[in-house]
Amino acid sequence: MSDMTYGDYLRLDRILDAQEPRSGAHDELLFIVIHQASELWMKLCLHELEGAREALKADDLDPAFKMMSRVSRVQAQLIQSWEVLSTMTPADYSAVRPHLGTSSGFQSAQYRLIEYILGNKNPKMTAVHEGRDTDYARLREAEKLPSLYDEALRVLDRRGISIPDSHLERDFTKPYEASDAVEAAWMEVYRNPKDRWDLYELAEKLVDLQYHFQLWRFGHLKTVERVIGYKTGTGGTPGVPYLESVVAKTFFPELLTLRTKL
């Protein structure tokens, strides 16, 4: 163990040999590194979000707050990565695109797992990964589990702020649906933040996650728009119109709607 080097510990031989440009274009290395680095950051996001969900399940809120804050900071790194990728011009990308085949960020299993743990379940998106056994199994399992928000609502209910049974024990494979009763429960927290400070902080940590996730989506949209315009995506999606359709989607709707009524 004493003779372990920096490169040994980080497995840099494997990481730095994992870039295999196919086009000969100068900017292909940029394209590969940005996406590989993003997958590493997403791996960390999943690690932290899963840990935060377990902490909420155990009513251990302080560690959950730390993990959720870390994810928000990682999301800032992911958002910044679009700034770097946007230095690719349309001509630069055109030299790379023919070598991508049908590969697409749409096929990122880790991105989908993040959406699932935040509550946006969609079996059609799981089906995209049929044939990739490990990814498909992870997504099928993730469909069945409560989301981070589901566990947050259970915390409220255990603290004496009633949540309807329809939102405590539901079919977790389905996308979350907003509820007036859940909004009223969060409203009780927001109207008395000093009396329920940890629950108030929980709500704001969730809002922070959603805020950064939407910025990440928006950065993706604007980068694609800047680099390829309105071309169809390599994975067969409509490209920019598809990205526009998902930017406004929210994970924790009541935490936004209650702000209008406060």
Side-chain angles (χ1 to χ4, degrees):
M1 186 67 69
S2 61
D3 61 352
M4 179 180 288
T5 68
Y6 175 79
D8 292 338
Y9 178 70
L10 295 177
R11 305 301 300 271
L12 291 181
D13 54 342
R14 295 177 64 181
I15 293 173
L16 299 178
D17 285 343
Q19 297 76 46
E20 297 181 358
R22 298 168 181 264
S23 68
H26 176 82
D27 278 24
E28 189 175 1
L29 184 61
L30 164 69
F31 189 82
I32 293 171
V33 167
I34 287 291
H35 287 85
Q36 288 182 340
S38 294
E39 289 291 333
L40 286 172
W41 282 126
M42 284 191 278
K43 183 174 183 176
L44 180 57
C45 284
L46 282 168
H47 175 69
E48 300 296 339
L49 290 170
E50 288 165 359
R53 179 172 59 188
E54 288 305 305
L56 293 183
K57 188 175 180 179
D59 270 316
D60 200 4
L61 268 58
D62 286 343
F65 295 158
K66 178 183 177 182
M67 295 170 195
M68 293 163 73
S69 292
R70 182 174 290 160
V71 172
S72 294
R73 301 302 184 274
V74 173
Q75 287 173 311
Q77 295 293 322
L78 287 163
I79 293 163
Q80 182 62 30
S81 72
W82 296 125
E83 291 289 319
V84 182
L85 189 60
S86 69
T87 63
M88 258 187 124
T89 67
D92 295 330
Y93 181 70
S94 294
V96 175
R97 182 171 173 142
H99 300 269
L100 299 178
T102 58
S103 65
S104 167
F106 183 75
Q107 299 158 347
S108 170
Q110 291 199 124
Y111 173 83
R112 202 60 62 193
L113 285 165
I114 291 172
E115 283 215 320
Y116 283 11
I117 198 170
L118 293 177
N120 187 24
K121 309 286 183 70
N122 188 338
K124 290 182 180 178
M125 297 305 175
T126 301
V128 169
H129 298 272
E130 286 189 85
R132 297 184 62 85
D133 293 346
T134 301
D135 290 341
Y136 186 67
R138 287 183 73 191
L139 286 161
R140 285 299 303 272
E141 182 61 26
E143 283 181 358
K144 303 170 189 174
L145 295 173
S147 71
L148 189 70
Y149 194 51
D150 290 318
E151 292 296 352
L153 296 183
R154 289 173 170 180
V155 171
L156 261 66
D157 194 69
R158 289 194 296 269
R159 297 291 185 87
I161 301 178
S162 181
I163 300 294
D165 290 343
S166 61
H167 283 62
L168 291 175
E169 299 298 335
R170 62 185 188 85
D171 182 352
F172 296 119
T173 67
K174 305 295 185 185
Y176 179 83
E177 294 186 5
S179 159
D180 289 342
V182 171
E183 183 188 86
W186 283 118
M187 189 71 80
E188 186 174 337
V189 173
Y190 272 79
R191 283 181 172 150
N192 302 282
K194 291 182 179 179
D195 296 335
R196 300 183 179 273
W197 188 261
D198 56 348
L199 299 181
Y200 183 65
E201 186 173 1
L202 172 59
E204 286 299 295
K205 296 293 186 190
L206 289 167
V207 171
D208 205 36
L209 287 175
Q210 181 164 274
Y211 171 77
H212 283 95
F213 199 94
Q214 287 181 302
L215 288 179
W216 182 21
R217 282 171 165 167
F218 184 73
H220 188 189
L221 160 66
K222 300 309 289 185
T223 301
V224 170
E225 183 182 66
R226 175 173 177 163
V227 176
I228 71 168
Y230 285 77
K231 291 186 181 75
T232 301
T234 48
T237 70
V240 167
Y242 168 75
L243 296 173
E244 287 176 335
S245 72
V246 300
V247 163
K249 288 185 177 179
T250 60
F251 299 114
F252 322 126
E254 295 91 353
L255 293 178
L256 295 183
T257 57
L258 68 80
R259 282 159 158 74
T260 304
K261 299 176 183 178
L262 275 172

